[in-house]
Amino acid sequence: MSTSIRRLLSLGGIALLGLVDQALCQNTTSAGRAGAIEACDRLRQEFRPQLFPVGTSNYEAQSHLPWSETCLLTPQCVFLPSDASDVARAVQIIADAQSPFAVISGGHMPVPGAASTPDGVLISLHALTTLALSDDRSILHLGPGNLWGEVYNYTSQYGLAVNGGRYGQVGVGGLLVGGGIGYFSSQYGWGANTVVEYEVVLANGTVAVVRADSHPDLFWALKGGSNYFGIVTRYDMKTFPANQAYSSAQIRPGTPAVASTWFNALNAYLAPGGGVEDVRAAIMPIVALTPENGTYEVINLEFYADPIARPRAFENFTSIPGPTLMNETVVAPWTYLSSALDIPAYAAKTSRQAFWSFSFLPDPRAISITNRTIFGEAATTLTDITGSTVTLSYQPISQAWLEAARAAGGDVLDLDPEDGPFVAGLLSTTWEDPEDDERMYAFNREVVDSINQQNTALGLHHPFVYLNDAGPGQAPFSGYGGGRILPRLQSIQARYDRDGVFRDLLAHGFPLRG
Ligand SMILES: Cc1cc2nc3c(=O)[nH]c(=O)nc-3n(C[C@H](O)[C@H](O)[C@H](O)COP(=O)(O)OP(=O)(O)OC[C@H]3O[C@@H](n4cnc5c(N)ncnc54)[C@H](O)[C@@H]3O)c2cc1C
Ligand SMILES: *[C@@H]1O[C@H](CO)[C@@H](O)[C@H](O)[C@H]1NC(C)=O
Ligand SMILES: *[C@@H]1O[C@H](CO)[C@@H](O)[C@H](O)[C@H]1NC(C)=O
Ligand SMILES: *[C@@H]1O[C@H](CO)[C@@H](O)[C@H](O)[C@H]1NC(C)=O
Ligand SMILES: *[C@@H]1O[C@H](CO)[C@@H](O)[C@H](O)[C@H]1NC(C)=O
Ligand SMILES: *[C@@H]1O[C@H](CO)[C@@H](O)[C@H](O)[C@H]1NC(C)=O
Ligand SMILES: *[C@@H]1O[C@H](CO)[C@@H](O)[C@H](O)[C@H]1NC(C)=O
Ligand SMILES: *[C@@H]1O[C@H](CO)[C@@H](O)[C@H](O)[C@H]1NC(C)=O
């Protein structure tokens, strides 16, 4: 499958973002810069072998972790802690010096300034790679510096899985503080719902072990609250048995006849009684366009958590006749799809990338509005943008998923199962030239605004903006829980961070305000 998957990658199966939201980017002030110089000096005195100034190879490697070229910034220095107490000491030094700083794990969030800093200290959690099972193997202890591919390679030796991300190259650290969409989410909810304990560095530079019964408010806030509440140095996730599974991928040319059948299959999958109701099924339906030459393709990646050759859940995709550009199906170890997606395009910096998130009800009219608005606009306005690709992923959030999340104790995303299943749309764009940043961001903003207006008029809009898929300037927190979550998050934040160290000095992807 790997050659074909490479092709899929080259489509920009996922891409992402680059416009810096000026209001979010830390302003360079002379006080900030002086603070950063002081913090770097003091870190160097205490941690010489772990502190890297500009010009060292470790500085280059760590400051180049971000996946999107739009996110490559120029920190004053890079600090590479080896455990939680190193992180705690660094937070004390940084707070004393009032230095701006950023925290990076896998570097896959394509939001400039979310996980790096133009002038402060970059704390890279890259070396926090704990990966161990508890004695009874029911819990996986994992450091934020692991990538999901490494995690799955480890647990699969024991016939186990965890509910992490779908792509092998994405980081553990950011995905779990943002929520986490995985292959097993219809059984277990968001990845964060399966975390039972966090080891976390608090804003006052102490290390806390956070469980539902020790710090219920903080435990909840870490499940989707991003980096405002602590720097997580260890996650304890529940494991579950997983062995052989069904993995499948089809890429088809999006000719009118084929695309129309494909959209019918998608609508049937999402409808009551459709495949989406089978909790062992997960699907990634993706539409992709290369504006330069008009290549338009429809793609479906499928996962089924049992070793069966033709899961009924996918019957309406499987029965679409040819032609196909790629058609591969295997029953193999369950890690197959995540490692097949473990390709250079999702790992390396090859492009400027943007993600944008928006949601809608699983109604054929909304499915068509999203497709027509994005691809109609892209096909005419982005043809002169070098290297541009536009993809739309329809991510079904099933009823069972919402119920599993609630049953596990809930989270910051706070989706009410009574509001029913929906689709989390991910618009992903790629381009090459920094001069096109503004145009690409404007494209993303405008098509998503237009989709939301059209869906609202038909009663098909859903307010959910998924933080892990959101773009610069989007405000995921203000939509969570119908607006009720933001004040609660702000008050927990203030309680655990009286001096505003994480609030004011740490770089964030999204504002914790309305
Ligand atoms: C190719 C690709 C595939 C993806 N697939 C999925 C998927 O299947 N499911 C899904 O849900 N999402 C997916 N995403 C989105 C992904 O969840 C987010 O980009 C996530 O932020 C990545 O985590 P990271 O550690 O790589 O990010 P980073 O960019 O390192 O961090 C993102 C944010 O989290 C903060 N952070 C990181 N580590 C910690 C920590 N230990 N403690 C506190 N804050 C921390 C950072 O400061 C930053 O603000 C995908 C993204 C890409 C690019
Ligand atoms: C940075 O400065 C600009 C212009 O002075 C201001 O509008 C913005 O709010 C500031 N941002 C922060 C995070 O302070
Ligand atoms: C996982 O294991 C496979 C097979 O041994 C290997 O090819 C791949 O590189 C590993 N992935 C990671 C992320 O270590
Ligand atoms: C396949 O499509 C038919 C006709 O629309 C529908 O009745 C059926 O539920 C679909 N099957 C699945 C598993 O989605
Ligand atoms: C369109 O462009 C993409 C990206 O450059 C390329 O991979 C693809 O082969 C092109 N398709 C056609 C039909 O020219
Ligand atoms: C895809 O491949 C499977 C065998 O793996 C085959 O049964 C099916 O007919 C093929 N589909 C198309 C559209 O070629
Ligand atoms: C999806 O968009 C393409 C390109 O604009 C169009 O040809 C096709 O008819 C659309 N399909 C649906 C179901 O909206
Ligand atoms: C640090 O903050 C935590 C949480 O607010 C608090 O319990 C702890 O006592 C504080 N420790 C110190 C040394 O201030």
Side-chain angles (χ1 to χ4, degrees):
M1 184 186 272
S2 67
T3 315
S4 314
I5 287 278
R6 261 168 236 290
R7 212 190 98 66
L8 173 59
L9 273 192
S10 74
L11 279 174
I14 296 253
L16 306 312
L17 84 117
L19 156 75
V20 179
D21 174 26
Q22 296 301 338
L24 267 185
C25 226
Q26 294 160 315
N27 284 330
T28 303
T29 62
S30 53
R33 190 175 297 281
I37 293 169
E38 185 191 332
C40 292
D41 281 350
R42 291 188 51 196
L43 284 164
R44 193 167 163 79
Q45 284 161 26
E46 288 188 36
F47 295 97
R48 185 167 291 266
Q50 291 161 256
L51 197 280
F52 302 100
V54 180
T56 58
S57 60
N58 270 307
Y59 176 97
E60 286 304 312
Q62 303 304 315
S63 61
H64 278 77
L65 283 178
W67 170 65
S68 171
E69 287 187 346
T70 57
C71 296
L72 302 182
L73 303 178
T74 53
Q76 181 70 28
C77 63
V78 169
F79 179 56
L80 207 50
S82 55
D83 58 23
S85 70
D86 288 357
V87 177
R89 183 64 189 135
V91 168
Q92 291 168 3
I93 289 172
I94 285 166
D96 283 351
Q98 288 290 294
S99 170
F101 72 117
V103 169
I104 190 165
S105 285
H108 269 65
M109 178 173 273
V111 176
S116 190
T117 161
D119 55 3
V121 178
L122 177 60
I123 299 179
S124 170
L125 304 179
H126 197 66
L128 301 190
T129 52
T130 296
L131 194 51
L133 286 164
S134 63
D135 288 344
D136 69 357
R137 298 188 181 167
S138 66
I139 299 294
L140 179 68
H141 308 286
L142 72 170
N146 289 295
L147 305 180
W148 290 110
E150 298 161 348
V151 174
Y152 299 155
N153 274 2
Y154 175 78
T155 63
S156 62
Q157 300 170 57
Y158 300 92
L160 297 172
V162 289
N163 189 27
R166 293 163 299 184
Y167 290 70
Q169 291 291 341
V170 174
V172 164
L175 183 132
L176 287 178
V177 293
I181 297 181
Y183 294 117
F184 301 95
S185 283
S186 279
Q187 293 180 73
Y188 302 104
W190 305 98
N193 295 129
T194 62
V195 178
V196 295
E197 181 175 304
Y198 299 85
E199 178 190 71
V200 50
V201 172
L202 301 175
N204 62 6
T206 60
V207 181
V209 172
V210 175
R211 302 180 59 91
D213 53 6
S214 71
H215 309 69
D217 51 357
L218 186 55
F219 182 74
W220 172 82
L222 289 166
K223 295 177 188 287
S226 194
N227 63 4
Y228 283 92
F229 301 90
I231 303 174
V232 182
T233 49
R234 176 173 48 78
Y235 298 87
D236 282 359
M237 279 182 103
K238 281 187 188 168
T239 64
F240 47 87
N243 287 295
Q244 299 274 302
Y246 168 96
S247 296
S248 180
Q250 277 92 38
I251 302 178
R252 294 184 165 86
T255 55
V258 173
S260 141
T261 320
W262 186 89
F263 277 104
N264 287 341
L266 175 59
N267 287 321
Y269 183 87
L270 296 172
V276 70
E277 293 181 359
D278 184 335
V279 299
R280 304 186 78 74
I283 190 165
M284 294 193 265
I286 300 168
V287 185
L289 174 74
T290 306
E292 274 176 275
N293 60 21
T295 301
Y296 177 78
E297 293 171 341
V298 290
I299 300 163
N300 44 292
L301 306 179
E302 295 156 355
F303 177 85
Y304 197 81
D306 283 328
I308 54 178
R310 286 174 79 90
R312 197 188 77 86
F314 309 125
E315 63 184 356
N316 293 309
F317 288 100
T318 312
S319 66
I320 302 174
T324 57
L325 300 166
M326 171 181 169
N327 175 27
E328 308 267 355
T329 296
V330 298
V331 171
W334 74 269
T335 55
Y336 189 86
L337 196 52
S338 68
S339 45
L341 291 167
D342 201 350
I343 49 182
Y346 298 129
K349 281 141 294 296
T350 50
S351 291
R352 309 181 77 76
Q353 314 268 5
F355 277 1
W356 235 265
S357 172
F358 57 100
S359 300
F360 44 90
L361 301 189
D363 183 293
R365 292 169 296 166
I367 297 285
S368 180
I369 285 169
T370 55
N371 162 62
R372 285 179 190 282
T373 306
I374 290 171
F375 296 101
E377 184 72 12
T380 58
T381 63
L382 302 181
T383 50
D384 62 331
I385 299 217
T386 311
S388 67
T389 62
V390 179
T391 69
L392 165 62
S393 303
Y394 291 100
Q395 304 177 106
I397 311 294
S398 66
Q399 186 69 30
W401 175 330
L402 301 173
E403 285 165 8
R406 274 286 163 98
D411 48 65
V412 167
L413 288 62
D414 198 36
L415 289 154
D416 189 343
E418 301 224 329
D419 295 338
F422 65 96
V423 179
L426 166 57
L427 171 58
S428 160
T429 49
T430 308
W431 67 100
E432 285 169 14
D433 188 343
E435 299 214 331
D436 291 328
D437 286 3
E438 287 305 326
R439 268 182 72 192
M440 291 304 293
Y441 287 123
F443 168 79
N444 279 282
R445 271 194 307 269
E446 284 163 16
V447 295
V448 169
D449 284 352
S450 168
I451 288 167
N452 288 341
Q453 278 166 25
Q454 295 173 69
N455 283 338
T456 299
L458 296 171
L460 301 175
H461 175 63
H462 190 292
F464 182 66
V465 171
Y466 179 38
L467 185 140
N468 277 341
D469 289 347
Q474 289 201 280
F477 294 121
S478 40
Y480 287 173
R484 291 181 308 277
I485 291 305
L486 184 59
R488 183 171 169 200
L489 284 177
Q490 288 167 328
S491 104
I492 297 170
Q493 210 282 328
R495 198 141 26 90
Y496 282 95
D497 183 10
R498 293 181 197 283
D499 300 327
V501 173
F502 291 155
R503 189 192 58 216
D504 301 335
L505 298 175
L506 178 60
H508 307 289
F510 306 98
L512 193 62
R513 51 174 198 266

